[in-house]
Each structure stands twice: as structure tokens, then as C-alpha cells.
């Protein structure tokens, strides 16, 4: 195959989006993205391979032999004539090109679709190519990268085309069972049978900006429901907002983003031979009794570091993955891939927000069911890839609202409790601020549960308890004392395994110092729980919660 991306022959190119003229060589350098409006123009399969894989690493996988015209189909012309013309115009055998190669040094198998070949339609040859690529990834135990561009099924192959949806989905299911990573990149357009099968089954689903993605086409939907659709409908950005895409990634950032995903299955980075002691407190008598009002004030302090603040200090790169893949995302609960102490982990946690606008956008860290289902999805990904899970808990509780109840808040929390109890990979949870009720516990069924010395953890907010039992919200401090919500009592009751001492003045007074202490505590806890055999780990976790 060619070793360099074909260049634009025309000196000037008109953008399909804004119609501005772009200098051809510059258009190539910009990976065929308009510098004016940002429109991502379509690329050939060859372009994609050259853009994503390391130079000179791609080795073509020979396409499997399939029937040329299984139905002897004729419409305005015989199907073989359409195939012959597409092959002559593109130089391809069919709509998918498969290769092995490396991406930033990671060995991969890649299957890349080319829209020029009969609209990237899914026929027997394309389905067989995707399936064969998945089987090669399984044989080599190397990640599979799929780049899609398709209008849907190939009608000229009838029900045989339809069967490719099941065949390719089955192939990706085999990779799931074997723990082999899959990354799907959705480009413009991705519709029909491709969207409803392998394109959306990746462990991580990325999409290019503005890509149109869906099952039924826009015109079909408008004709069916009899009304005009919003402009952003079925765009990558629209789907991300509805929890169906992990990230919308510009073409220039696509290669490093996939590289970050692949790092999750790489070997641990070099770490210090000796992990310094975290100075964890395991004896409650080493903690001075605290005034209930001070506990509440400190745990809720508006300047207290939040999840993203901690990740900026303790993670060697963080890739946020969004959405529950059902129909929503929740900005109150964040999750993704990170490296802590050189170890790849899935990290989950709550984000309260720094100012009023962000706090409102993030529901004051009160997660919706979409957030808990997103967390469950990422924990299952961690189990597939054998990655530890780290959770940072700081929430007043699960969101109490109509939308939350309509979407099954109780069901989502219950599912997380059951899932975490039996998850085969290590789990470390840290209550960094406010641990409110079942909404907090839904991320805290763990092998090791730590808490900052200024944190609180309770079955209900002190104000709620005071209103219900004392009939007086002003009795919150009295309720807090009775509930024993502070770190000293949590440690005494065995709710937490150890307490992380905060810097003088509290975590909000020295966020960097608090992050350093958290990093060391996590490194120590991860080192301990990773060393436990999986069966013993889940048995110990269950015994932990059984004893309460």
C-alpha cells in the first residue's frame, strides 16, 4: 500500500461547509479540516490509515474471498457492474480496508471503512472483513480499532447483508470475553446497519466533530413523524450530550487520544522502588474529637478540592469518557482513564463546581441515574481490561428530582452496589469531602475505603435528620453529633479503613498538599489490593460489608 497520504491535486479547494476557498497544500496539512468553519471533510481509508498508524507500520490484511453477486441482483444495472465500477474508481476490493500496525508504538489491528465504495455500505465482503479483523485481533490479543463511514446496509445483497450486523456484533462480543480492547471512531456519515452493530459496540466510542450518526436517516425520520428535526439532531455533539459517545475528538487530536486509550493496556510505567509512607491514621484515638459544626463546614467548604483538582495533581494524564450508552450523561459524576503512580486505572468521582454556573451545570455533585449507569459501564470496562478502580466521593447525595425518579434513580444505585460487590478488579474509594447517603455509597463499595480527616459520611444530611427527627432544621449540629459523621467515628466503627490527615487548615487551605497526600495514600492502597488474588479479593470485600 502507499506510504504517504495522497495530496490534493487542485491548488484551491472549496469547503463543503462554509464554501470558503482553502489553499490545497494547507488543506492537506490540516488533515482536510477547514480552518474557517472546522468542517471535517471525508477521508479515504488510505488517508485514515496513514493519519492514525505509525509511519511504515501498516501491513495489509488480505480481504477474505466472498461471493461476487450472491443474489444475481439487478436494478437499473446489474450489481456486478456497480461493484466493478466502484473497484475501478477506488482501487479497493470493497468498503473496508484492514491492516495490522502500530499506533504510538502500540500494536493494533485496524479496520477502516471508505465511503467512496458504494457509500461504505455493509455487504458480505465488508462484514467478512470486519469479522476477520476482529478474529485477527483476538488471535494476536491486540486492540482492534474500527473507523466507520457508511450509509447503511447494502440492499443488493438482501438478507445476507442484514446478517452481517449479527456476525460482526458476535465477533466484537468474542473480544469482550477475551478482554481485548476495542476502539470505534465514528466519522461522517455512520448510519443504518453499521451504526446498529459493530460501530457502536467499542469499549471506547469516539466521534469526529459534526459527524452524522444514527439508525434511520434524517429524511426518513422527518417523513415518518411529520415534523422538522433540530439542526444538531444526530450530530456527534448531540449524541455525546445524550450519553451515546464517549468523546468528540478533532481529527488532529484523534491519534494521541486513541494512544491514551491504548496506554490503559500497556505495562505499568516505572515507579519508585519504595512507595513513601502515606502517614495514614488507623487508630481513632490519634484523631482529636471535632466539633460537628466544624466537620460540616470543612467537608462542604466551597474551596475544598474537587475531583478534577485532584486529578490535575495526581494523574499522569486523564481521558474523560462520557455517557451511559443508554440515553444520557451526567456532569455531576465524572469518569475515565488515568494513570496514578504509573498504574493505569479507571477513575470515577463527583464534581461540585467552582462557581455558581458550574455548580448548577453539575447539579451540585448530585448525580442523576445516567451518572451511576455511566459509572457502572466504566467499572465493567475496568473488569474487562483488568484495571483497578479508584473512586473519589464528594456528594451531598443522589439527585432528588422528577427526572431522576423517572429514570430509575433507586435502580441505578442498587445496580452499582451489586456490581461493585462482585467486581473482580481492585477498588479503592476515598471520601474526599461530603459522603451523602446512598448516592455516595454507590461509588464506595470497595476493598479499601479511606477518608480525609475533614470529610463526613452519613446516612442522611444533618439538616435532613434534624428536620425529620427533631422537627427543627436548626438542630443540624445536634443531629451531626448523634449521627457521628466525622472521620474519627467513621474509623472507630470500621466504616473506613484509614484516615488521610489533611494539611494544616484543611484541604481547602492547601489543595496541592492535600493532593500529594492523596497520591501517596492511593499508591499505598493500590499496591496492597492489587497483590490480593481476585477470588480472595471479592470474598474479603463481601466479608467487609457483611460484618456491619
Amino acid at each position: 500500500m502507499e506510504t504517504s497520504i495522497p495530496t490534493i491535486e487542485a491548488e484551491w479547494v472549496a469547503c463543503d461547509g462554509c464554501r470558503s476557498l482553502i489553499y490545497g497544500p494547507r488543506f492537506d496539512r490540516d488533515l482536510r479540516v477547514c480552518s474557517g468553519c472546522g468542517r471535517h471533510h471525508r477521508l479515504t481509508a488510505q488517508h485514515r490509515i496513514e493519519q492514525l498508524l505509525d509511519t511504515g507500520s501498516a501491513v495489509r490484511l488480505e480481504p477474505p474471498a466472498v461471493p461476487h453477486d450472491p443474489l444475481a441482483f439487478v436494478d437499473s444495472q446489474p450489481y456486478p457492474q456497480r461493484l466493478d465500477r466502484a473497484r475501478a474508481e477506488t482501487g479497493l476490493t470493497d468498503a473496508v480496508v484492514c491492516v495490522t500496525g502500530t499506533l504510538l508504538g502500540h500494536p493494533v489491528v485496524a479496520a477502516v471503512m471508505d465511503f467512496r465504495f458504494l457509500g461504505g455500505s455493509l455487504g458480505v465482503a465488508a462484514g467478512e472483513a470486519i469479522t476477520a479483523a476482529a478474529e485477527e485481533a483476538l488471535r494476536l490479543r491486540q486492540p482492534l480499532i474500527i473507523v466507520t463511514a457508511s450509509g447503511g446496509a447494502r440492499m443488493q445483497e438482501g438478507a445476507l447483508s442484514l446478517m452481517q450486523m449479527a456476525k460482526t456484533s458476535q465477533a466484537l462480543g468474542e473480544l469482550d470475553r477475551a478482554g481485548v480492547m476495542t476502539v470505534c471512531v465514528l466519522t461522517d456519515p455512520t448510519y443504518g446497519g453499521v451504526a446498529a452493530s459493530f460501530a457502536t459496540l467499542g469499549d471506547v466510542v469516539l466521534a469526529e466533530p459534526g459527524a452524522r450518526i444514527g439508525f434511520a436517516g434524517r429524511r426518513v425520520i422527518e417523513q415518518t413523524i411529520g415534523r422538522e428535526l433540530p439542526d444538531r439532531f444526530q450530530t456527534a455533539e448531540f449524541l455525546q450530550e445524550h450519553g451515546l459517545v464517549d468523546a468528540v475528538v478533532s481529527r488532529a487530536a484523534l491519534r494521541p487520544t486513541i494512544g491514551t486509550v491504548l496506554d490503559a493496556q500497556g505495562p505499568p510505567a516505572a515507579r519508585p522502588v519504595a512507595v513513601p509512607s502515606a502517614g495514614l491514621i488507623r487508630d481513632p484515638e490519634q484523631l482529636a474529637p471535632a466539633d460537628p459544626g466544624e466537620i460540616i463546614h470543612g467537608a462542604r467548604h466551597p474551596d475544598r478540592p474537587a475531583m478534577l483538582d485532584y486529578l490535575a495533581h495526581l494523574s499522569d494524564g486523564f481521558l474523560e469518557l462520557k455517557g451511559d450508552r443508554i440515553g444520557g450523561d451526567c456532569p455531576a459524576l465524572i469518569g475515565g482513564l488515568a494513570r496514578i503512580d504509573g498504574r493505569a486505572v479507571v477513575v470515577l468521582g463527583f464534581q461540585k463546581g467552582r462557581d455558581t454556573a458550574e455548580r448548577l451545570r453539575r447539579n451540585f455533585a448530585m448525580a442523576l441515574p445516567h451518572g451511576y449507569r455511566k459509572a457502572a459501564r466504566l467499572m465493567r470496562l475496568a473488569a474487562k481490561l483488568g484495571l483497578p478502580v479508584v473512586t473519589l466521593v464528594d456528594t451531598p447525595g443522589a439527585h432528588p428530582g422528577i427526572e431522576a425518579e423517572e429514570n430509575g434513580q433507586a435502580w441505578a444505585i442498587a445496580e452499582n452496589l451489586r456490581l461493585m460487590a462482585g467486581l473482580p478488579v481492585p477498588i479503592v474509594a476515598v471520601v474526599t469531602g461530603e459522603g451523602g447517603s446512598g448516592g455516595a455509597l454507590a461509588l464506595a463499595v470497595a476493598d479499601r475505603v479511606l477518608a480525609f480527616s475533614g470529610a463526613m459520611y452519613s446516612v442522611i444530611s444533618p439538616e435532613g435528620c434534624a428536620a425529620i427527627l427533631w422537627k427543627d432544621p436548626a438542630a443540624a449540629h445536634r443531629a451531626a453529633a448523634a449521627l457521628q459523621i466525622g472521620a474519627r467515628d467513621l474509623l472507630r466503627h470500621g466504616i473506613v479503613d484509614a484516615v488521610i490527615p489533611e494539611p494544616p487548615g484543611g484541604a481547602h487551605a492547601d489543595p496541592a498538599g492535600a493532593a500529594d497526600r492523596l497520591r501517596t495514600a492511593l499508591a499505598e492502597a493500590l499496591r496492597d489490593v492489587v497483590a490480593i488474588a481476585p477470588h480472595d479479593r471479592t470474598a474479603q470485600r463481601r466479608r467487609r460489608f457483611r460484618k456491619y
Side-chain angles (χ1 to χ4, degrees), residues 80-288:
Q81 290 184 15
R82 292 189 184 277
L83 286 174
D84 291 342
R85 181 178 177 183
R87 288 166 179 162
E89 290 177 348
T90 64
L92 303 177
T93 303
D94 209 273
V96 181
V97 177
C98 300
V99 299
T100 60
T102 59
L103 192 158
L104 296 176
H106 296 280
V108 297
V109 176
V112 183
M113 302 194 76
D114 197 314
F115 190 78
R116 297 175 303 156
F117 197 101
L118 298 183
S121 52
L122 178 62
V124 172
E128 188 65 21
I130 294 289
T131 302
E135 291 170 346
E136 183 70 0
L138 180 61
R139 184 183 73 83
L140 298 173
R141 300 198 67 83
Q142 293 177 358
L144 174 64
I145 299 172
I146 300 176
V147 183
T148 64
S150 175
R154 191 168 297 176
M155 293 177 288
Q156 294 91 340
E157 296 185 12
L160 291 170
S161 169
L162 184 66
M163 294 303 108
Q164 306 312 305
M165 295 171 62
K167 182 171 76 177
T168 54
S169 299
Q170 175 179 284
L172 264 69
E174 290 296 316
L175 295 180
D176 285 340
R177 284 182 282 278
V180 176
M181 178 183 286
T182 54
V183 180
C184 294
V185 180
L186 312 183
T187 76
D188 184 60
T190 296
Y191 276 110
V194 169
S197 58
F198 59 89
T200 51
L201 292 178
D203 297 318
V204 176
V205 178
L206 309 175
E208 287 194 332
R212 293 167 298 162
I213 304 155
F215 183 57
R218 184 186 184 94
R219 281 180 295 180
V220 171
I221 297 173
E222 288 182 332
Q223 290 171 2
T224 301
I225 67 175
R227 63 187 177 91
E228 190 174 340
L229 297 171
D231 290 339
R232 296 176 71 252
F233 184 74
Q234 290 187 323
T235 62
E237 293 77 7
F238 177 90
L239 295 178
Q240 184 185 55
E241 291 169 5
H242 287 79
L244 301 172
V245 171
D246 283 294
V248 178
V249 183
S250 68
R251 192 168 290 165
L254 194 55
R255 176 174 150 92
T257 299
I258 297 176
T260 299
V261 175
L262 298 179
D263 282 342
Q265 283 201 310
R271 298 187 300 276
V273 175
V275 177
S277 172
L280 295 174
I281 298 173
R282 293 183 170 85
D283 181 358
E285 296 306 315
Q286 292 182 303
L287 293 168

Side-chain angles (χ1 to χ4, degrees), residues 21 66 76 200 273 292 338 401 440 460 463 481 544:
L21 290 177
V66 298
S76 60
T200 51
V273 175
I460 190 173
E463 295 83 359
R544 173 202 178 91

Side-chain angles (χ1 to χ4, degrees), residues 429-449:
V430 183
V431 183
T432 61
E434 192 173 5
S437 192
L441 182 62
L443 287 194
V445 179
D447 305 300
R448 296 289 184 274
V449 181

Side-chain angles (χ1 to χ4, degrees), residues 223-469:
Q223 290 171 2
T224 301
I225 67 175
R227 63 187 177 91
E228 190 174 340
L229 297 171
D231 290 339
R232 296 176 71 252
F233 184 74
Q234 290 187 323
T235 62
E237 293 77 7
F238 177 90
L239 295 178
Q240 184 185 55
E241 291 169 5
H242 287 79
L244 301 172
V245 171
D246 283 294
V248 178
V249 183
S250 68
R251 192 168 290 165
L254 194 55
R255 176 174 150 92
T257 299
I258 297 176
T260 299
V261 175
L262 298 179
D263 282 342
Q265 283 201 310
R271 298 187 300 276
V273 175
V275 177
S277 172
L280 295 174
I281 298 173
R282 293 183 170 85
D283 181 358
E285 296 306 315
Q286 292 182 303
L287 293 168
D291 175 75
E294 291 179 358
I295 294 173
I296 297 171
H297 176 74
R300 295 175 176 171
H301 197 286
D303 294 330
R304 194 171 185 86
M307 178 182 173
L308 292 179
D309 300 316
Y310 284 125
L311 284 178
H313 283 84
L314 60 88
S315 170
D316 304 323
F318 169 63
L319 176 63
E320 183 177 359
L321 303 177
K322 297 184 177 182
D324 62 1
R325 297 274 182 91
I326 298 173
D329 187 41
C330 175
L333 200 161
I334 296 172
L337 300 169
R339 277 191 179 267
I340 297 175
D341 187 40
R343 190 187 304 276
V345 300
V346 167
V347 61
L348 300 160
F350 300 91
Q351 181 73 14
K352 284 186 173 178
R354 279 283 169 238
D355 54 30
T356 302
E358 188 185 3
R359 292 187 186 107
L360 287 169
R361 182 171 67 85
R362 296 194 182 275
N363 289 328
F364 296 88
M366 294 184 292
L368 294 164
H370 305 308
Y372 293 111
R373 293 189 176 112
K374 171 173 62 177
R377 176 176 78 86
L378 295 181
M379 286 189 279
R380 292 189 183 99
L381 174 60
K384 172 182 173 177
L385 302 180
L387 301 179
V389 174
V390 171
T391 68
L392 304 181
V393 177
D394 185 10
T395 176
H399 193 277
I402 295 174
E403 181 185 359
E405 294 301 321
E406 287 176 340
N407 285 280
Q409 185 72 287
W411 283 258
I413 292 172
E415 175 60 26
N416 274 22
L417 300 180
R418 178 172 62 180
L419 173 66
M420 296 184 81
L423 204 70
V425 294
I427 309 174
V428 176
V430 183
V431 183
T432 61
E434 192 173 5
S437 192
L441 182 62
L443 287 194
V445 179
D447 305 300
R448 296 289 184 274
V449 181
L450 311 177
F452 270 111
S453 57
M456 56 184 273
Y457 199 2
S458 177
V459 66
I460 190 173
S461 71
E463 295 83 359
C465 179
I468 294 170
L469 298 182

